[in-house]
Amino acid sequence: MAIETGAPIVPLAMIGADDVYDIIFDGDDLAMRPVRMLVQALGMRGNLTPPLVRGLGPTLLPKPERFYYAAGTPIETTPWADAPDLDRAAEDLQAVVRKALEEELRFLFAERERDRGRTLWGRVRGSIGL
């Protein structure tokens, strides 16, 4: 679609959401079968069964984790517009976008490793000058 319209693609990356909750059982786990059956009885697909999660301690409150965001350099799609095989052009563009996203994710993981205030304890230590 981006190739057909000439719209640039901006690679956006985010990490941190996976640290907010711990998954105890995912929706496909045998222990979640009763919930999966309820989901299906409600007319939804079974693969939409939510996981059983734990947040802060044994609660559903999310852990106070930081999220990290990055926006990469926009990727112009016009070089692929005149390609004779649009499907092949889309595959080539997809590889370029994937590489750009992987670079942004590597950057974010490195930033997170350097961030002393990543955790609540780190933020408390920083606020009192430790």
Side-chain angles (χ1 to χ4, degrees), residues 43-88:
M44 294 182 279
R45 295 189 324 258
N47 63 349
L48 295 178
T49 304
L52 178 62
V53 297
R54 179 184 69 205
L56 189 60
T59 72
L60 290 177
L61 293 173
K63 292 186 233 171
E65 293 288 336
R66 283 193 176 170
F67 288 21
Y68 301 82
Y69 300 90
T73 304
I75 300 167
E76 290 298 327
T77 58
T78 51
W80 287 273
D82 295 329
D85 183 357
L86 193 57
D87 289 335
R88 177 70 182 153

Side-chain angles (χ1 to χ4, degrees), residues 6-110:
I9 297 174
V10 180
L12 299 173
M14 189 270 296
I15 62 171
D18 55 329
D19 297 327
V20 173
Y21 290 105
D22 296 322
I23 296 176
I24 299 168
F25 296 114
D26 71 10
D28 294 328
D29 197 280
L30 183 61
M32 296 299 287
R33 185 171 181 202
V35 178
R36 194 169 42 256
M37 290 172 56
L38 175 63
V39 166
Q40 291 170 336
L42 292 172
M44 294 182 279
R45 295 189 324 258
N47 63 349
L48 295 178
T49 304
L52 178 62
V53 297
R54 179 184 69 205
L56 189 60
T59 72
L60 290 177
L61 293 173
K63 292 186 233 171
E65 293 288 336
R66 283 193 176 170
F67 288 21
Y68 301 82
Y69 300 90
T73 304
I75 300 167
E76 290 298 327
T77 58
T78 51
W80 287 273
D82 295 329
D85 183 357
L86 193 57
D87 289 335
R88 177 70 182 153
E91 289 173 8
D92 292 344
L93 178 58
Q94 181 183 24
V96 170
V97 172
R98 180 181 296 118
K99 183 178 181 216
L101 281 172
E102 289 170 353
E103 289 173 11
E104 294 302 318
L105 288 170
R106 274 193 292 278
F107 167 75
L108 290 177
F109 284 122

